[in-house]
Amino acid sequence: MKVVAQRPESLTDAPFHYCPGCTHGIIHRLVAECLDELNLREQAIGICPVGCAVLAYDYFNCDMLEAAHGRAPAIATGIKRLLPDRLVFTYQGDGDLASIGMGEIVHASGRGENITVIFVNNAIYGMTGGQMAPTTLLGQVTTTSPYGRTAEQAGYPLKMAELLAQNQGAAYICRTAVNNPANVMRTKKAIKKAFQTQMQAKGFSMVEILSTCPTNWGLSPLEALEWLEKNMIPYYPLGEFKVS
Amino acid sequence: MAKGRVTFRTERCKACELCVRFCPQQILSLNKTMINPLGYHPIAVVREEACNGCGICALMCPDLVITVERE
Ligand SMILES: Cc1ncc(C[n+]2csc(CCOP(=O)(O)OP(=O)(O)O)c2C)c(N)n1
Ligand code: SF4
Ligand code: SF4
Ligand code: SF4
């Protein structure tokens, strides 16, 4: 028998601290598998967010840095400009990227920085206990929208992939999900394509990945996958928004 | 003879059952007679001979508990 699925070299052996069934773990593995398969581990530099993935530098077996909340695209910009031969990627949640980090991400994509953003959209602030994020859906109950988000009070959820795809500097923008095996495979393909976009120096690339937060959604891991499919995918359509 | 084989780092299993849900052969189940160091009932395979080595369980496991081998 030969091994067909095992731990990728681009992950350390440290166990993840994530909650049971949290799909941050799946996304970490996919990023690592892409680094392995494209033989990029030794030239990769990753930037961690503030959020549940704040400890990702313990997990990825490549050079890693920690950014202040939302500032990962700014750090990535500096590193990539100084070391253009490296593969530079950020890993960011929706609070990190679309709230406090909105300025950084919009301008990094606008400038066409040749970096890759792995954007994990779980429609909530996970780490801090489930507050409303800019991506929280209308009607969604969070600790800061206890009766459900309303457009009157909090406006509408932001569609980051569509928004950033408008920028001329954006070379590859895609939205995927990790709620079932087929979508996990598609997510891996998209991450690979984003890394290749950067290695071909085409410009800014981002994969927005719809992910679960069973703990703060108040659901079991399996219910959370269903909630993602029924509620998030209709509002956040999957697909490629920019390819060049 | 089974076409595939799954092995587990049971001490890392968090009992989320994502692998159980998507195994096409429906041969994975939590072992309710055991508790791992994390405090969960860990994953186990109930009909080893039916594993086809498809790898879907490992694809869905968020905690890299599962290694899959195939003929
Ligand atoms: C400057 C600053 N402001 C606020 C915080 C508090 N804080 C920590 S994580 C977080 C949001 C995390 O949510 P998200 O980016 O969606 O990631 P998740 O935890 O859901 O993966 C906030 C507001 C902080 N650490 N630093
Ligand atoms: S709080 Fe949510 S996002 Fe954070 S590890 Fe737990 S399930 Fe995942
Ligand atoms: S490899 Fe496929 S058949 Fe075997 S346990 Fe995993 S999901 Fe089931
Ligand atoms: S998916 Fe992984 S962590 Fe979840 S029950 Fe299966 S083996 Fe355990």
Side-chain angles (χ1 to χ4, degrees), chain A residues 17-24 52 122 124 126-127 212-216:
Chain A
H17 68 282
Y18 301 110
C19 304
C22 173
T23 47
H24 263 302
C52 283
N122 59 12
I124 207 158
M127 184 195 204
T212 64
C213 178
T215 300
N216 288 301

Side-chain angles (χ1 to χ4, degrees), chain B residues 4-6 8 19 22-28 45 50-58 66 68-69:
Chain B
R5 181 163 60 212
V6 279
F8 310 109
C19 57
F22 290 103
C23 168
Q25 301 291 82
Q26 294 288 294
I27 55 174
L28 299 175
V45 56
C51 177
N52 61 20
C54 67
I56 288 176
C57 50
I66 310 171
V68 183
E69 292 164 278

Side-chain angles (χ1 to χ4, degrees), chain A residues 6-8 11 16-35 53 59-60 91 118 120 176-189 191 209-214 221-222 224-225 228, chain B residues 14 16-22 55-66:
Chain A
Q6 66 177 349
R7 200 174 184 87
L11 286 180
F16 295 152
H17 68 282
Y18 301 110
C19 304
C22 173
T23 47
H24 263 302
I26 296 180
I27 299 168
H28 280 25
R29 194 193 67 239
L30 296 178
V31 170
E33 286 174 356
C34 290
L35 293 175
Y59 304 144
F60 286 108
Y91 186 105
I118 307 297
V120 180
T176 64
V178 285
N179 61 309
N180 60 40
N183 279 342
V184 170
M185 291 304 294
R186 285 187 196 108
T187 300
K188 181 170 170 181
K189 254 194 190 156
I191 294 171
I209 304 165
L210 305 183
S211 184
T212 64
C213 178
L222 290 175
L225 294 182
L228 187 162
Chain B
K14 295 176 185 164
C16 70
E17 298 192 283
L18 265 53
C19 57
V20 175
R21 161 74 179 75
F22 290 103
I56 288 176
C57 50
L59 188 71
M60 294 308 293
C61 176
D63 287 283
L64 293 109
V65 169
I66 310 171

Side-chain angles (χ1 to χ4, degrees), chain A residues 89-170:
Chain A
F89 71 93
T90 73
Y91 186 105
Q92 304 178 255
D94 46 341
D96 189 81
L97 179 142
S99 189
I100 193 167
M102 185 55 118
E104 278 71 18
I105 193 68
V106 168
H107 287 290
S109 62
R111 292 190 305 269
E113 296 295 344
N114 192 27
I115 59 172
T116 300
V117 174
I118 307 297
F119 170 37
V120 180
N121 180 358
N122 59 12
I124 207 158
Y125 288 6
M127 184 195 204
T128 44
Q131 294 81 6
M132 178 168 54
T135 44
T136 293
L137 297 174
L138 290 181
Q140 188 181 337
V141 172
T142 69
T143 53
T144 48
S145 57
Y147 306 107
R149 178 178 181 160
T150 63
E152 293 71 29
Q153 200 221 4
Y156 297 90
L158 295 173
K159 300 185 179 190
M160 292 309 296
E162 288 87 333
L163 203 78
L164 299 183
Q166 308 294 314
N167 286 335
Q168 214 173 321

